[in-house]
PDB file of all heavy atoms in Angstrom:
ATOM      1  N   THR A   1     -10.942  -5.434  -2.782  1.00 97.00           N
ATOM      2  CA  THR A   1     -10.685  -4.122  -2.219  1.00 97.00           C
ATOM      3  C   THR A   1     -11.518  -3.073  -2.947  1.00 97.00           C
ATOM      4  O   THR A   1     -11.931  -3.157  -4.094  1.00 97.00           O
ATOM      5  CB  THR A   1      -9.253  -3.690  -2.148  1.00 97.00           C
ATOM      6  OG1 THR A   1      -9.225  -2.518  -1.576  1.00 97.00           O
ATOM      7  CG2 THR A   1      -8.748  -3.684  -3.562  1.00 97.00           C
ATOM      8  N   GLN A   2     -11.866  -2.035  -2.107  1.00 97.00           N
ATOM      9  CA  GLN A   2     -12.527  -0.862  -2.723  1.00 97.00           C
ATOM     10  C   GLN A   2     -11.398   0.337  -2.979  1.00 97.00           C
ATOM     11  O   GLN A   2     -11.791   1.359  -3.331  1.00 97.00           O
ATOM     12  CB  GLN A   2     -13.639  -0.401  -1.949  1.00 97.00           C
ATOM     13  CG  GLN A   2     -14.786  -1.294  -1.766  1.00 97.00           C
ATOM     14  CD  GLN A   2     -15.432  -1.615  -3.279  1.00 97.00           C
ATOM     15  OE1 GLN A   2     -15.708  -0.680  -3.871  1.00 97.00           O
ATOM     16  NE2 GLN A   2     -15.641  -2.913  -3.355  1.00 97.00           N
ATOM     17  N   ALA A   3     -10.159   0.061  -2.628  1.00 97.00           N
ATOM     18  CA  ALA A   3      -9.097   0.998  -2.689  1.00 97.00           C
ATOM     19  C   ALA A   3      -8.946   1.459  -4.192  1.00 97.00           C
ATOM     20  O   ALA A   3      -8.940   0.666  -5.049  1.00 97.00           O
ATOM     21  CB  ALA A   3      -7.815   0.458  -2.284  1.00 97.00           C
ATOM     22  N   GLY A   4      -8.952   2.660  -4.290  1.00 98.00           N
ATOM     23  CA  GLY A   4      -8.711   3.338  -5.713  1.00 98.00           C
ATOM     24  C   GLY A   4      -7.328   3.713  -6.042  1.00 98.00           C
ATOM     25  O   GLY A   4      -7.160   3.993  -7.277  1.00 98.00           O
ATOM     26  N   SER A   5      -6.362   3.701  -5.138  1.00 98.00           N
ATOM     27  CA  SER A   5      -5.097   4.049  -5.335  1.00 98.00           C
ATOM     28  C   SER A   5      -4.108   3.158  -4.546  1.00 98.00           C
ATOM     29  O   SER A   5      -4.550   2.545  -3.557  1.00 98.00           O
ATOM     30  CB  SER A   5      -4.741   5.424  -4.985  1.00 98.00           C
ATOM     31  OG  SER A   5      -4.922   5.694  -3.539  1.00 98.00           O
ATOM     32  N   PRO A   6      -2.879   3.035  -4.817  1.00 97.00           N
ATOM     33  CA  PRO A   6      -1.886   2.327  -4.042  1.00 97.00           C
ATOM     34  C   PRO A   6      -1.750   2.888  -2.608  1.00 97.00           C
ATOM     35  O   PRO A   6      -1.781   2.054  -1.682  1.00 97.00           O
ATOM     36  CB  PRO A   6      -0.577   2.591  -4.769  1.00 97.00           C
ATOM     37  CG  PRO A   6      -0.979   2.784  -6.153  1.00 97.00           C
ATOM     38  CD  PRO A   6      -2.166   3.586  -6.125  1.00 97.00           C
ATOM     39  N   ALA A   7      -1.996   4.076  -2.385  1.00 95.00           N
ATOM     40  CA  ALA A   7      -1.936   4.676  -1.063  1.00 95.00           C
ATOM     41  C   ALA A   7      -3.121   4.153  -0.237  1.00 95.00           C
ATOM     42  O   ALA A   7      -2.966   3.687   0.964  1.00 95.00           O
ATOM     43  CB  ALA A   7      -2.075   6.253  -0.993  1.00 95.00           C
ATOM     44  N   GLU A   8      -4.292   4.201  -0.813  1.00 96.00           N
ATOM     45  CA  GLU A   8      -5.408   3.553  -0.147  1.00 96.00           C
ATOM     46  C   GLU A   8      -5.214   2.033   0.139  1.00 96.00           C
ATOM     47  O   GLU A   8      -5.654   1.510   1.183  1.00 96.00           O
ATOM     48  CB  GLU A   8      -6.810   3.829  -0.858  1.00 96.00           C
ATOM     49  CG  GLU A   8      -6.982   5.314  -0.978  1.00 96.00           C
ATOM     50  CD  GLU A   8      -8.349   5.481  -1.929  1.00 96.00           C
ATOM     51  OE1 GLU A   8      -8.843   4.444  -2.484  1.00 96.00           O
ATOM     52  OE2 GLU A   8      -8.581   6.723  -2.129  1.00 96.00           O
ATOM     53  N   LEU A   9      -4.741   1.346  -0.794  1.00 97.00           N
ATOM     54  CA  LEU A   9      -4.511  -0.066  -0.692  1.00 97.00           C
ATOM     55  C   LEU A   9      -3.504  -0.391   0.363  1.00 97.00           C
ATOM     56  O   LEU A   9      -3.611  -1.327   1.217  1.00 97.00           O
ATOM     57  CB  LEU A   9      -4.040  -0.653  -1.994  1.00 97.00           C
ATOM     58  CG  LEU A   9      -3.788  -2.210  -1.959  1.00 97.00           C
ATOM     59  CD1 LEU A   9      -5.040  -2.948  -1.708  1.00 97.00           C
ATOM     60  CD2 LEU A   9      -3.277  -2.547  -3.432  1.00 97.00           C
ATOM     61  N   PHE A  10      -2.410   0.476   0.420  1.00 95.00           N
ATOM     62  CA  PHE A  10      -1.390   0.217   1.520  1.00 95.00           C
ATOM     63  C   PHE A  10      -2.074   0.515   2.848  1.00 95.00           C
ATOM     64  O   PHE A  10      -1.756  -0.180   3.852  1.00 95.00           O
ATOM     65  CB  PHE A  10      -0.214   1.165   1.315  1.00 95.00           C
ATOM     66  CG  PHE A  10       0.986   0.880   2.221  1.00 95.00           C
ATOM     67  CD1 PHE A  10       1.977  -0.071   1.887  1.00 95.00           C
ATOM     68  CD2 PHE A  10       0.998   1.466   3.472  1.00 95.00           C
ATOM     69  CE1 PHE A  10       2.944  -0.385   2.657  1.00 95.00           C
ATOM     70  CE2 PHE A  10       2.178   1.049   4.340  1.00 95.00           C
ATOM     71  CZ  PHE A  10       3.048   0.123   3.920  1.00 95.00           C
ATOM     72  N   SER A  11      -2.819   1.496   3.045  1.00 94.00           N
ATOM     73  CA  SER A  11      -3.519   1.757   4.244  1.00 94.00           C
ATOM     74  C   SER A  11      -4.353   0.625   4.618  1.00 94.00           C
ATOM     75  O   SER A  11      -4.345   0.214   5.783  1.00 94.00           O
ATOM     76  CB  SER A  11      -4.220   2.970   4.212  1.00 94.00           C
ATOM     77  OG  SER A  11      -3.576   4.117   4.060  1.00 94.00           O
ATOM     78  N   GLU A  12      -5.068  -0.004   3.774  1.00 95.00           N
ATOM     79  CA  GLU A  12      -5.833  -1.241   3.976  1.00 95.00           C
ATOM     80  C   GLU A  12      -4.991  -2.406   4.515  1.00 95.00           C
ATOM     81  O   GLU A  12      -5.284  -3.041   5.390  1.00 95.00           O
ATOM     82  CB  GLU A  12      -6.674  -1.531   2.728  1.00 95.00           C
ATOM     83  CG  GLU A  12      -7.543  -2.784   2.885  1.00 95.00           C
ATOM     84  CD  GLU A  12      -8.351  -3.197   1.614  1.00 95.00           C
ATOM     85  OE1 GLU A  12      -8.676  -2.173   0.987  1.00 95.00           O
ATOM     86  OE2 GLU A  12      -8.517  -4.363   1.373  1.00 95.00           O
ATOM     87  N   CYS A  13      -3.896  -2.522   3.722  1.00 95.00           N
ATOM     88  CA  CYS A  13      -2.947  -3.574   4.183  1.00 95.00           C
ATOM     89  C   CYS A  13      -2.305  -3.450   5.474  1.00 95.00           C
ATOM     90  O   CYS A  13      -2.073  -4.382   6.242  1.00 95.00           O
ATOM     91  CB  CYS A  13      -1.771  -3.720   3.094  1.00 95.00           C
ATOM     92  SG  CYS A  13      -2.398  -4.337   1.491  1.00 95.00           S
ATOM     93  N   ALA A  14      -2.025  -2.043   5.832  1.00 92.00           N
ATOM     94  CA  ALA A  14      -1.570  -1.844   7.146  1.00 92.00           C
ATOM     95  C   ALA A  14      -2.478  -2.083   8.314  1.00 92.00           C
ATOM     96  O   ALA A  14      -2.056  -2.435   9.411  1.00 92.00           O
ATOM     97  CB  ALA A  14      -1.042  -0.245   7.162  1.00 92.00           C
ATOM     98  N   ARG A  15      -3.832  -1.898   8.021  1.00 93.00           N
ATOM     99  CA  ARG A  15      -4.745  -2.340   9.021  1.00 93.00           C
ATOM    100  C   ARG A  15      -4.835  -3.812   9.167  1.00 93.00           C
ATOM    101  O   ARG A  15      -4.995  -4.360  10.272  1.00 93.00           O
ATOM    102  CB  ARG A  15      -6.187  -1.746   8.562  1.00 93.00           C
ATOM    103  CG  ARG A  15      -6.343  -0.285   8.709  1.00 93.00           C
ATOM    104  CD  ARG A  15      -7.817   0.150   8.515  1.00 93.00           C
ATOM    105  NE  ARG A  15      -8.357  -0.110   7.238  1.00 93.00           N
ATOM    106  CZ  ARG A  15      -8.063   0.624   6.164  1.00 93.00           C
ATOM    107  NH1 ARG A  15      -7.434   1.841   6.328  1.00 93.00           N
ATOM    108  NH2 ARG A  15      -8.718   0.360   5.011  1.00 93.00           N
ATOM    109  N   ARG A  16      -4.536  -4.578   8.049  1.00 92.00           N
ATOM    110  CA  ARG A  16      -4.649  -6.083   8.125  1.00 92.00           C
ATOM    111  C   ARG A  16      -3.242  -6.581   8.846  1.00 92.00           C
ATOM    112  O   ARG A  16      -3.165  -7.526   9.442  1.00 92.00           O
ATOM    113  CB  ARG A  16      -4.753  -6.548   6.710  1.00 92.00           C
ATOM    114  CG  ARG A  16      -5.938  -6.412   6.157  1.00 92.00           C
ATOM    115  CD  ARG A  16      -6.028  -6.751   4.540  1.00 92.00           C
ATOM    116  NE  ARG A  16      -5.515  -8.097   4.388  1.00 92.00           N
ATOM    117  CZ  ARG A  16      -6.423  -9.162   4.312  1.00 92.00           C
ATOM    118  NH1 ARG A  16      -7.728  -8.888   4.520  1.00 92.00           N
ATOM    119  NH2 ARG A  16      -5.989 -10.369   3.982  1.00 92.00           N
ATOM    120  N   HIS A  17      -2.171  -5.900   8.500  1.00 92.00           N
ATOM    121  CA  HIS A  17      -0.822  -6.274   9.012  1.00 92.00           C
ATOM    122  C   HIS A  17      -0.222  -5.134   9.649  1.00 92.00           C
ATOM    123  O   HIS A  17       0.466  -4.183   9.115  1.00 92.00           O
ATOM    124  CB  HIS A  17       0.050  -6.620   7.879  1.00 92.00           C
ATOM    125  CG  HIS A  17      -0.439  -7.642   6.913  1.00 92.00           C
ATOM    126  ND1 HIS A  17      -0.584  -8.990   7.127  1.00 92.00           N
ATOM    127  CD2 HIS A  17      -1.067  -7.616   5.715  1.00 92.00           C
ATOM    128  CE1 HIS A  17      -1.181  -9.763   6.226  1.00 92.00           C
ATOM    129  NE2 HIS A  17      -1.423  -8.763   5.336  1.00 92.00           N
ATOM    130  N   GLN A  18      -0.480  -4.940  11.037  1.00 88.00           N
ATOM    131  CA  GLN A  18      -0.053  -3.801  11.775  1.00 88.00           C
ATOM    132  C   GLN A  18       1.391  -3.576  11.936  1.00 88.00           C
ATOM    133  O   GLN A  18       1.793  -2.403  12.239  1.00 88.00           O
ATOM    134  CB  GLN A  18      -0.719  -3.976  13.211  1.00 88.00           C
ATOM    135  CG  GLN A  18      -2.143  -3.799  13.069  1.00 88.00           C
ATOM    136  CD  GLN A  18      -2.863  -3.950  14.481  1.00 88.00           C
ATOM    137  OE1 GLN A  18      -2.337  -3.950  15.491  1.00 88.00           O
ATOM    138  NE2 GLN A  18      -4.121  -3.934  14.388  1.00 88.00           N
ATOM    139  N   GLN A  19       2.213  -4.614  11.469  1.00 86.00           N
ATOM    140  CA  GLN A  19       3.658  -4.366  11.350  1.00 86.00           C
ATOM    141  C   GLN A  19       4.153  -3.497  10.256  1.00 86.00           C
ATOM    142  O   GLN A  19       5.257  -2.993  10.295  1.00 86.00           O
ATOM    143  CB  GLN A  19       4.375  -5.606  11.351  1.00 86.00           C
ATOM    144  CG  GLN A  19       3.910  -6.723  12.369  1.00 86.00           C
ATOM    145  CD  GLN A  19       2.715  -7.456  11.882  1.00 86.00           C
ATOM    146  OE1 GLN A  19       1.911  -6.998  11.063  1.00 86.00           O
ATOM    147  NE2 GLN A  19       2.545  -8.913  12.300  1.00 86.00           N
ATOM    148  N   LEU A  20       3.261  -3.245   9.286  1.00 86.00           N
ATOM    149  CA  LEU A  20       3.648  -2.368   8.162  1.00 86.00           C
ATOM    150  C   LEU A  20       3.763  -0.882   8.583  1.00 86.00           C
ATOM    151  O   LEU A  20       2.981  -0.450   9.401  1.00 86.00           O
ATOM    152  CB  LEU A  20       2.648  -2.393   7.051  1.00 86.00           C
ATOM    153  CG  LEU A  20       2.547  -3.785   6.287  1.00 86.00           C
ATOM    154  CD1 LEU A  20       1.538  -3.784   5.191  1.00 86.00           C
ATOM    155  CD2 LEU A  20       3.983  -4.028   5.643  1.00 86.00           C
ATOM    156  N   HIS A  21       4.700  -0.256   8.111  1.00 76.00           N
ATOM    157  CA  HIS A  21       5.019   1.170   8.538  1.00 76.00           C
ATOM    158  C   HIS A  21       4.618   2.127   7.377  1.00 76.00           C
ATOM    159  O   HIS A  21       4.368   1.694   6.311  1.00 76.00           O
ATOM    160  CB  HIS A  21       6.397   1.284   8.907  1.00 76.00           C
ATOM    161  CG  HIS A  21       6.867   0.543  10.048  1.00 76.00           C
ATOM    162  ND1 HIS A  21       6.535   0.707  11.303  1.00 76.00           N
ATOM    163  CD2 HIS A  21       7.567  -0.633  10.099  1.00 76.00           C
ATOM    164  CE1 HIS A  21       7.008  -0.106  12.222  1.00 76.00           C
ATOM    165  NE2 HIS A  21       7.582  -1.107  11.454  1.00 76.00           N
ATOM    166  N   ASN A  22       4.637   3.376   7.778  1.00 72.00           N
ATOM    167  CA  ASN A  22       4.258   4.418   6.852  1.00 72.00           C
ATOM    168  C   ASN A  22       4.889   4.183   5.544  1.00 72.00           C
ATOM    169  O   ASN A  22       6.146   3.892   5.490  1.00 72.00           O
ATOM    170  CB  ASN A  22       4.725   5.813   7.494  1.00 72.00           C
ATOM    171  CG  ASN A  22       4.239   7.014   6.680  1.00 72.00           C
ATOM    172  OD1 ASN A  22       4.299   6.896   5.443  1.00 72.00           O
ATOM    173  ND2 ASN A  22       3.820   7.951   7.459  1.00 72.00           N
ATOM    174  N   TYR A  23       4.226   4.442   4.377  1.00 72.00           N
ATOM    175  CA  TYR A  23       4.744   4.260   3.094  1.00 72.00           C
ATOM    176  C   TYR A  23       5.426   5.431   2.526  1.00 72.00           C
ATOM    177  O   TYR A  23       5.877   5.495   1.572  1.00 72.00           O
ATOM    178  CB  TYR A  23       3.596   3.826   2.212  1.00 72.00           C
ATOM    179  CG  TYR A  23       2.544   4.922   1.979  1.00 72.00           C
ATOM    180  CD1 TYR A  23       2.767   5.758   0.951  1.00 72.00           C
ATOM    181  CD2 TYR A  23       1.397   4.897   2.665  1.00 72.00           C
ATOM    182  CE1 TYR A  23       1.786   6.834   0.694  1.00 72.00           C
ATOM    183  CE2 TYR A  23       0.490   5.852   2.421  1.00 72.00           C
ATOM    184  CZ  TYR A  23       0.800   6.814   1.340  1.00 72.00           C
ATOM    185  OH  TYR A  23      -0.194   7.776   1.195  1.00 72.00           O
ATOM    186  N   SER A  24       5.408   6.582   3.138  1.00 71.00           N
ATOM    187  CA  SER A  24       5.794   7.797   2.559  1.00 71.00           C
ATOM    188  C   SER A  24       7.229   7.800   1.839  1.00 71.00           C
ATOM    189  O   SER A  24       7.258   8.582   0.906  1.00 71.00           O
ATOM    190  CB  SER A  24       5.709   8.977   3.593  1.00 71.00           C
ATOM    191  OG  SER A  24       6.718   8.762   4.611  1.00 71.00           O
ATOM    192  N   THR A  25       8.179   7.091   2.304  1.00 81.00           N
ATOM    193  CA  THR A  25       9.315   6.952   1.637  1.00 81.00           C
ATOM    194  C   THR A  25       9.501   5.779   0.835  1.00 81.00           C
ATOM    195  O   THR A  25      10.714   5.406   0.393  1.00 81.00           O
ATOM    196  CB  THR A  25      10.443   7.178   2.664  1.00 81.00           C
ATOM    197  OG1 THR A  25      10.425   6.167   3.676  1.00 81.00           O
ATOM    198  CG2 THR A  25      10.606   8.453   3.310  1.00 81.00           C
ATOM    199  N   SER A  26       8.498   5.002   0.834  1.00 90.00           N
ATOM    200  CA  SER A  26       8.573   3.651   0.107  1.00 90.00           C
ATOM    201  C   SER A  26       8.251   3.850  -1.446  1.00 90.00           C
ATOM    202  O   SER A  26       7.721   4.884  -1.899  1.00 90.00           O
ATOM    203  CB  SER A  26       7.537   2.759   0.698  1.00 90.00           C
ATOM    204  OG  SER A  26       7.800   2.514   2.096  1.00 90.00           O
ATOM    205  N   LEU A  27       8.446   2.871  -2.172  1.00 93.00           N
ATOM    206  CA  LEU A  27       8.103   2.781  -3.654  1.00 93.00           C
ATOM    207  C   LEU A  27       6.974   1.864  -3.889  1.00 93.00           C
ATOM    208  O   LEU A  27       6.835   0.874  -3.193  1.00 93.00           O
ATOM    209  CB  LEU A  27       9.337   2.407  -4.381  1.00 93.00           C
ATOM    210  CG  LEU A  27      10.686   3.353  -4.241  1.00 93.00           C
ATOM    211  CD1 LEU A  27      11.781   2.718  -4.898  1.00 93.00           C
ATOM    212  CD2 LEU A  27      10.372   4.709  -4.787  1.00 93.00           C
ATOM    213  N   VAL A  28       6.267   2.146  -4.974  1.00 96.00           N
ATOM    214  CA  VAL A  28       5.100   1.235  -5.500  1.00 96.00           C
ATOM    215  C   VAL A  28       5.280   1.067  -6.927  1.00 96.00           C
ATOM    216  O   VAL A  28       5.670   1.962  -7.597  1.00 96.00           O
ATOM    217  CB  VAL A  28       3.845   1.904  -5.088  1.00 96.00           C
ATOM    218  CG1 VAL A  28       3.637   3.293  -5.683  1.00 96.00           C
ATOM    219  CG2 VAL A  28       2.731   0.933  -5.390  1.00 96.00           C
ATOM    220  N   ALA A  29       4.856  -0.080  -7.313  1.00 97.00           N
ATOM    221  CA  ALA A  29       4.754  -0.393  -8.855  1.00 97.00           C
ATOM    222  C   ALA A  29       3.430  -1.041  -9.107  1.00 97.00           C
ATOM    223  O   ALA A  29       2.761  -1.773  -8.144  1.00 97.00           O
ATOM    224  CB  ALA A  29       5.863  -1.358  -9.320  1.00 97.00           C
ATOM    225  N   ILE A  30       2.783  -0.762 -10.203  1.00 98.00           N
ATOM    226  CA  ILE A  30       1.720  -1.376 -10.643  1.00 98.00           C
ATOM    227  C   ILE A  30       1.958  -2.243 -11.919  1.00 98.00           C
ATOM    228  O   ILE A  30       2.439  -1.531 -12.866  1.00 98.00           O
ATOM    229  CB  ILE A  30       0.536  -0.342 -10.938  1.00 98.00           C
ATOM    230  CG1 ILE A  30       0.194   0.425  -9.617  1.00 98.00           C
ATOM    231  CG2 ILE A  30      -0.722  -1.004 -11.404  1.00 98.00           C
ATOM    232  CD1 ILE A  30      -0.679   1.642  -9.865  1.00 98.00           C
ATOM    233  N   ASN A  31       1.682  -3.358 -11.867  1.00 98.00           N
ATOM    234  CA  ASN A  31       1.953  -4.224 -13.097  1.00 98.00           C
ATOM    235  C   ASN A  31       3.389  -4.133 -13.638  1.00 98.00           C
ATOM    236  O   ASN A  31       3.624  -4.005 -14.741  1.00 98.00           O
ATOM    237  CB  ASN A  31       0.937  -3.978 -14.217  1.00 98.00           C
ATOM    238  CG  ASN A  31      -0.409  -4.266 -13.779  1.00 98.00           C
ATOM    239  OD1 ASN A  31      -0.658  -5.196 -12.925  1.00 98.00           O
ATOM    240  ND2 ASN A  31      -1.425  -3.478 -14.035  1.00 98.00           N
ATOM    241  N   ASP A  32       4.350  -4.204 -12.582  1.00 96.00           N
ATOM    242  CA  ASP A  32       5.853  -4.154 -12.918  1.00 96.00           C
ATOM    243  C   ASP A  32       6.221  -2.745 -13.459  1.00 96.00           C
ATOM    244  O   ASP A  32       7.273  -2.500 -13.967  1.00 96.00           O
ATOM    245  CB  ASP A  32       6.150  -5.197 -13.791  1.00 96.00           C
ATOM    246  CG  ASP A  32       6.069  -6.598 -13.167  1.00 96.00           C
ATOM    247  OD1 ASP A  32       6.350  -6.623 -12.041  1.00 96.00           O
ATOM    248  OD2 ASP A  32       5.662  -7.498 -14.013  1.00 96.00           O
ATOM    249  N   GLU A  33       5.383  -1.623 -13.273  1.00 97.00           N
ATOM    250  CA  GLU A  33       5.887  -0.200 -13.778  1.00 97.00           C
ATOM    251  C   GLU A  33       5.897   0.551 -12.523  1.00 97.00           C
ATOM    252  O   GLU A  33       4.827   0.583 -11.799  1.00 97.00           O
ATOM    253  CB  GLU A  33       4.843   0.255 -14.683  1.00 97.00           C
ATOM    254  CG  GLU A  33       4.718  -0.557 -16.082  1.00 97.00           C
ATOM    255  CD  GLU A  33       5.291   0.142 -17.149  1.00 97.00           C
ATOM    256  OE1 GLU A  33       5.513   1.307 -17.168  1.00 97.00           O
ATOM    257  OE2 GLU A  33       5.577  -0.626 -18.117  1.00 97.00           O
ATOM    258  N   MET A  34       6.948   1.258 -12.223  1.00 96.00           N
ATOM    259  CA  MET A  34       7.057   2.173 -11.072  1.00 96.00           C
ATOM    260  C   MET A  34       5.897   3.160 -11.287  1.00 96.00           C
ATOM    261  O   MET A  34       5.657   3.660 -12.327  1.00 96.00           O
ATOM    262  CB  MET A  34       8.401   2.807 -10.959  1.00 96.00           C
ATOM    263  CG  MET A  34       9.493   1.794 -10.781  1.00 96.00           C
ATOM    264  SD  MET A  34       9.284   0.683  -9.374  1.00 96.00           S
ATOM    265  CE  MET A  34       9.326   1.735  -8.029  1.00 96.00           C
ATOM    266  N   SER A  35       5.314   3.499 -10.110  1.00 97.00           N
ATOM    267  CA  SER A  35       4.022   4.279 -10.166  1.00 97.00           C
ATOM    268  C   SER A  35       4.042   5.278  -9.021  1.00 97.00           C
ATOM    269  O   SER A  35       4.848   5.254  -8.130  1.00 97.00           O
ATOM    270  CB  SER A  35       2.827   3.356 -10.025  1.00 97.00           C
ATOM    271  OG  SER A  35       2.679   2.488 -11.148  1.00 97.00           O
TER     272      SER A  35
END
């Protein structure tokens, strides 16, 4: 990926998997650390 942030990465994943929904109220972790 060329995504620079989890938000960009999630958008890329949502294009690949159209069933994914808006992440605005979701949580993200990078390398097991909440981010």
